[in-house]
Amino acid sequence: MKKEEINKRYRKQKKLLDRYNHHYFNLDAPLISDSKYDKIKSEVIEIEKNYPFLVEKKSVQDQVGAPVTKRFKKIKHSIPMLSLSNTFDTIGMNDFISKVSNYLNIKNKNFSFSSELKIDGISASLTYKKGILIKGLSRGDGITGEDILENLKTIKDIPKKILDEYIPEILEVRGEVYIGKKDFKKIKKNFANPRNAAGGSLRQKDPKETNKIPLKFFAYGFGVINPMIYKKQSEFISKLKDWGFNVNPLNTLVKGVEQIERHHKKIENMRPSLDYDIDGIVYKIDDLSLQKRLGSTSNSPRWATAYKFSSEKAISTIKDIIIQVGRTGAITPVAKIEPVTVGGVIVSNATLHNEDEIERKDVRIGDTIVVQRAGDVIPQVVSVDLKKRKKNSKKYSFPNKCLCGGKIQKEFNASTKKQDAVRRCNKGYDCSFTAKEKLKHIVSKEAFNIDGLGKKVIDQFWDLNLIKNPSDIFDLNFDKIKKLDGWGELSTNNLKVAIEQARNISLNKFIYSIGIRHIGQENAKILGSFFKSIDQFQKLLNENQRDEILKNLNDLDGIGETQIISIKNFFNNSKNIEIIKNFIIKLNIQNFSEKNKKGKLSNINIMFTGSFRKISRSEAKALAENFGGKVLGSVSKKLDILVVGNLKPTKKKIDRAKELKIKIYSEDEWYNFLNI
Ligand code: IVH
């Protein structure tokens, strides 16, 4: 078959499959028989395997990590199943250890790490009550998992009952379900890799189907344990062995970056001979009390990192260099390269980061280059082979205009006092390329999260003039959409429902979604808790009130000059004002609901000045918040307590606090007050 024919066939079958999947997974009402479904699915998988360039975003085989489907009962994890931060080299590992040491304010960096192979499978959580397996969940989206207990029970490595002299009343064991490489060979025809096979098998509707595929399990961690009596990760791992779990035999304890490096190389050399896929090593602080102090950011624990093996590299040539415009107007140069397989994936685009990088590497069209890809990271051009450069090659000159024709400039960065490396188009919604990216941000998972309205659909609706501004999302002409290629009655109805639901949005998500530069999810939360309601937030739209509000933002810990200038610039743009006004009218924006932690510090505003002896500023902040307190960034009447560290406290702040008769504590008085 010719390329176009294959493409056409693929798209047709994929569309059918998507429709059947929706009915089967989400509506639990299959449209066709299992055998017919299997036939179409096998065909699509076969095409994807043979022509990977056809696969756009999520391949059919890649169902892992997808939003929780309705097929299994959803159950909230008692403790979220987080992911891990990644580290790629020695510098990264040193950075990670420094961050740990800074956070804990412990100068000696010789921490003990539990070093564990990072198995490339599917994580699962197993809960035992008095030693009996009573609950088995998939990771799902990390907050809510799927009830896959019956399927997990078919795995021989998973004990159904634990016998020991002592077992905690509630014991949640976490680990990785995987398929051995040898076993995978036997079932290879249906899946792209062992990880997808494990995911597919675990999510089978009928546990008997799961049982047919030889799944295995390595245990590596815990969720809830009650009562919690373990002091070290390594101690818990050895308990897991006593209880009959499989624990990876290559797990060990290491100390300091040199040992880590040596160990890393040793395991990397063993990688091909292991019977399971690994993509790195997880290093976890062994001491559980330190783990507890370190806590987590919103996505990953501060006490662990996944140190990935060296990234895969390949050689290719640059066919062209184009520019892409991001939602903040940032211009990114991208090399269009001769397609090449890097780590099993076909790569035809690789980022060149920015103008300075092109200049530094002297990258030119026609050059032979090394391209690299590490995990989920965007492929990048690493170096140029100058020996292979053609004599007539010309130095690349960076465009001086955006794709919209507008000027592009490097801005001055107030905090680094340097010029940015990135050029930007600052026409905002007046640049159609930036505007389209802004719309994609609005519908993204972390913002409005509208099912059925992804990046591709934004492109389609943009071209058809259906969506040009955020408010258009909530004014769609569904009769028109129904008749479009690729749309039907059902998918249009689903979109309608999803959009209706999305009208209700929390204030912080709304603030995040409008895409003010430097206002990410965390800062949007801080702003949400400050403004509390959309009515208050809307005052920013009013020129007369804006400056006064911006002044007050200075009080917020986490919001600095960079953010304030950015908010100011955003609202100084009349087009933005018009767009935001029209957008708000369409929405039902809920007031910020403070998950007020009840604790000794609830309703109390605290501020820190100077450094402490025992903990870092970050830990002090996290600690205060855990007690229900709110940390402010400046001294004002609102402040209740000022805690003064011995190292370099700001005299002005102390004097002002004294003036305002605010309670002042020293570091030790503060610990006494908290009773810690
Ligand atoms: S610890 C909060 N340990 O890697 C700690 N994860 O990228 C998170 N994984 O979802 C997990 N081997 O599926 C941990 N020894 C190991 C692991 C491991 C594999 C997977 C797991 C997790 C993912 C995080």
Side-chain angles (χ1 to χ4, degrees):
M1 260 196 282
K2 276 215 220 88
K3 213 166 151 184
E4 287 99 277
E5 281 170 41
I6 297 163
N7 196 344
K8 215 165 142 194
R9 175 79 186 165
Y10 174 69
R11 267 167 227 298
K12 187 175 165 225
Q13 297 305 82
K14 175 88 179 16
K15 207 166 116 188
L16 273 179
L17 198 64
D18 285 345
R19 187 154 163 251
Y20 297 149
N21 275 341
H22 176 72
H23 278 260
Y24 186 77
F25 289 113
N26 297 337
L27 308 176
D28 231 349
L31 287 179
I32 51 165
S33 70
D34 280 1
S35 64
K36 276 190 185 150
Y37 173 84
D38 286 345
K39 231 169 148 180
I40 298 179
K41 187 167 172 180
S42 306
E43 185 186 344
V44 174
I45 290 176
E46 197 57 32
I47 305 180
E48 285 190 353
K49 260 174 89 174
N50 293 330
Y51 308 96
F53 60 87
L54 290 174
V55 182
E56 281 170 353
K57 209 176 146 217
K58 256 199 185 116
S59 91
V60 166
Q61 306 148 46
D62 196 11
Q63 296 183 345
V64 187
V68 199
T69 63
K70 288 192 186 138
R71 205 158 63 145
F72 296 99
K73 204 166 86 192
K74 287 187 200 174
I75 300 183
K76 199 166 175 217
H77 292 292
S78 315
I79 298 175
M81 287 182 86
L82 299 175
S83 53
L84 288 167
S85 64
N86 288 326
T87 301
F88 297 101
D89 50 24
T90 321
I91 301 175
M93 203 58 208
N94 270 319
D95 271 1
F96 168 71
I97 299 176
S98 294
K99 271 195 203 143
V100 168
S101 117
N102 288 340
Y103 192 92
L104 296 169
N105 205 2
I106 295 177
K107 298 278 168 307
N108 179 357
K109 293 184 181 172
N110 224 13
F111 300 105
S112 281
F113 286 100
S114 169
S115 142
E116 305 169 13
L117 270 59
K118 187 168 183 296
I119 317 294
D120 197 8
I122 303 297
S123 50
S125 137
L126 310 164
T127 304
Y128 294 82
K129 191 169 177 187
K130 294 196 168 91
I132 310 286
L133 177 61
I134 53 153
K135 188 159 78 174
L137 301 180
S138 69
R139 178 172 184 271
D141 61 6
I143 304 292
T144 308
E146 297 154 309
D147 176 4
I148 49 165
L149 177 64
E150 293 313 315
N151 296 20
L152 286 168
K153 273 185 177 168
T154 66
I155 301 175
K156 294 188 188 61
D157 290 349
I158 294 182
K160 317 302 171 285
K161 193 172 175 183
I162 307 173
L163 294 171
D164 199 359
E165 271 169 31
Y166 172 79
I167 307 160
E169 164 97 10
I170 299 288
L171 169 71
E172 183 190 347
V173 174
R174 292 179 176 179
E176 203 79 352
V177 176
Y178 70 99
I179 293 183
K181 287 186 197 163
K182 278 193 220 104
D183 286 331
F184 177 66
K185 281 203 178 114
K186 296 178 213 152
I187 54 161
K188 206 169 169 172
K189 64 177 191 330
N190 288 324
F191 301 96
N193 57 43
R195 181 172 193 263
N196 287 335
S201 165
L202 257 189
R203 294 161 64 93
Q204 290 299 316
K205 210 167 190 174
D206 182 356
K208 280 196 220 101
E209 289 301 311
T210 306
N211 201 15
K212 283 185 195 161
I213 299 173
L215 293 175
K216 293 180 176 165
F217 184 75
F218 273 131
Y220 58 65
F222 55 86
V224 185
I225 299 187
N226 202 353
M228 178 59 180
I229 54 161
Y230 307 103
K231 305 262 182 286
K232 299 262 162 79
Q233 165 75 4
S234 49
E235 174 195 358
F236 182 69
I237 295 246
S238 91
K239 262 286 149 214
L240 285 171
K241 279 189 235 169
D242 296 346
W243 291 330
F245 287 93
N246 269 352
V247 168
N248 193 287
L250 295 165
N251 290 355
T252 182
L253 274 177
V254 288
K255 234 179 189 190
V257 87
E258 269 165 36
Q259 268 188 33
I260 290 179
E261 283 301 317
R262 226 175 304 131
H263 179 68
H264 208 76
K265 296 221 166 71
K266 180 178 136 193
I267 302 288
E268 189 164 11
N269 288 335
M270 292 170 76
R271 192 178 177 190
S273 62
L274 299 173
D275 187 42
Y276 39 84
D277 280 332
I278 56 172
D279 57 352
I281 298 179
V282 186
Y283 291 97
K284 303 178 183 170
I285 288 281
D286 193 40
D287 184 325
L288 296 181
S289 65
L290 292 185
Q291 279 194 12
K292 197 166 170 215
R293 279 182 60 192
L294 285 157
S296 333
T297 65
S298 42
N299 298 318
S300 55
R302 292 192 190 89
W303 43 262
T305 191
Y307 189 171
K308 296 288 180 79
F309 293 126
S310 8
S311 43
E312 315 250 3
K313 295 187 174 63
I315 293 173
S316 178
T317 51
I318 299 189
K319 294 197 294 186
D320 197 5
I321 297 176
I322 58 153
I323 54 169
Q324 279 177 357
V325 189
R327 69 178 170 89
T328 59
I331 309 286
T332 309
V334 175
K336 292 266 168 203
I337 61 170
E338 206 53 62
V340 60
T341 312
V342 197
V345 173
I346 297 193
V347 172
S348 45
N349 293 318
T351 180
L352 288 160
H353 302 289
N354 56 49
E355 187 183 359
D356 294 355
E357 275 292 299
I358 299 188
E359 182 77 33
R360 199 173 60 79
K361 295 180 185 141
D362 186 18
V363 185
R364 301 179 185 193
I365 296 171
D367 274 351
T368 301
I369 46 118
V370 174
V371 57
Q372 109 177 349
R373 195 185 140 258
D376 311 328
V377 185
I378 299 170
Q380 43 184 307
V381 174
V382 193
S383 59
V384 177
D385 186 346
L386 292 173
K387 279 186 243 125
K388 297 222 170 98
R389 175 170 284 169
K390 292 198 186 87
K391 284 216 177 70
N392 59 356
S393 91
K394 282 198 201 79
K395 211 170 162 63
Y396 177 74
S397 68
F398 204 84
N400 54 10
K401 282 202 174 89
C402 172
L403 296 172
C404 72
K407 260 204 297 192
I408 50 176
Q409 285 164 324
K410 288 185 180 179
E411 284 171 19
F412 183 76
N413 185 318
S415 53
T416 59
K417 308 260 182 287
K418 278 190 198 148
Q419 218 179 31
D420 274 342
V422 176
R423 277 182 192 257
R424 277 172 214 281
C425 166
N426 56 17
K427 283 172 63 185
Y429 277 99
D430 284 328
C431 161
S432 58
F433 296 87
T434 309
K436 218 190 320 179
E437 294 308 309
K438 284 187 185 295
L439 290 166
K440 288 178 187 172
H441 170 72
I442 286 177
V443 298
S444 69
K445 243 200 158 90
E446 294 75 23
F448 276 79
N449 189 19
I450 304 176
D451 262 358
L453 192 57
K455 291 183 180 181
K456 287 250 150 64
V457 181
I458 290 285
D459 280 332
Q460 186 189 16
F461 287 4
W462 176 277
D463 292 341
L464 295 165
N465 282 333
L466 284 164
I467 298 183
K468 291 283 176 186
N469 288 312
S471 57
D472 297 339
I473 299 171
F474 296 91
D475 259 344
L476 280 172
N477 181 341
F478 292 103
D479 285 333
K480 216 167 168 182
I481 295 173
K482 210 161 43 190
K483 292 180 199 126
L484 293 175
D485 218 21
W487 289 86
E489 189 87 40
L490 189 80
S491 48
T492 310
N493 265 337
N494 287 340
L495 180 66
K496 205 169 168 179
V497 172
I499 289 178
E500 265 326 300
Q501 280 171 357
R503 260 186 227 276
N504 299 309
I505 189 157
S506 64
L507 179 62
N508 48 341
K509 277 203 176 168
F510 170 76
I511 297 175
Y512 170 71
S513 79
I514 58 177
I516 306 172
R517 231 180 117 200
H518 302 297
I519 305 296
Q521 282 171 282
E522 289 299 320
N523 282 335
K525 261 189 227 159
I526 299 175
L527 292 175
S529 83
F530 171 80
F531 286 106
K532 300 231 159 37
S533 70
I534 188 66
D535 290 347
Q536 289 301 320
F537 182 78
Q538 237 171 322
K539 290 186 177 162
L540 277 172
L541 304 180
N542 186 329
E543 212 181 325
N544 299 327
Q545 291 175 293
R546 197 175 308 137
D547 281 345
E548 188 59 33
I549 298 173
L550 290 175
K551 235 192 264 157
N552 288 336
L553 294 184
N554 260 319
D555 283 351
L556 303 175
D557 195 57
I559 302 288
E561 201 191 346
T562 312
Q563 286 74 23
I564 294 180
I565 294 176
S566 176
I567 298 171
K568 190 175 173 156
N569 288 342
F570 185 88
F571 289 103
N572 270 345
N573 176 322
S574 56
K575 176 99 182 192
N576 282 345
I577 301 255
E578 182 198 318
I579 281 179
I580 299 301
K581 267 188 188 157
N582 291 337
F583 196 24
I584 290 175
I585 300 170
K586 305 281 174 217
L587 305 171
N588 177 11
I589 302 172
Q590 286 130 27
N591 288 352
F592 183 84
S593 68
E594 198 114 36
K595 275 190 221 99
N596 229 343
K597 271 202 184 150
K598 291 238 158 43
K600 198 160 182 152
L601 299 178
S602 44
N603 296 320
I604 295 187
N605 294 327
I606 306 117
M607 198 189 133
F608 302 105
T609 177
S611 316
F612 298 154
R613 276 175 295 109
K614 291 194 185 154
I615 57 176
S616 64
R617 274 288 287 278
S618 321
E619 190 179 356
K621 183 174 182 211
L623 197 67
E625 284 169 354
N626 278 340
F627 276 98
K630 201 163 167 188
V631 180
L632 301 188
S634 73
V635 183
S636 69
K637 271 184 271 173
K638 276 180 270 170
L639 189 65
D640 300 297
I641 299 174
L642 177 71
V643 189
V644 182
N646 338 20
L647 253 156
K648 293 190 190 151
T650 315
K651 189 168 172 297
K652 234 166 134 186
K653 287 181 182 160
I654 304 174
D655 291 346
R656 177 95 181 108
K658 278 183 186 157
E659 239 172 71
L660 295 170
K661 301 209 163 48
I662 288 163
K663 246 188 236 154
I664 299 181
Y665 286 145
S666 70
E667 182 177 350
D668 287 334
E669 283 169 341
W670 177 238
Y671 298 138
N672 277 341
F673 175 70
L674 293 180
N675 225 344
I676 51 171

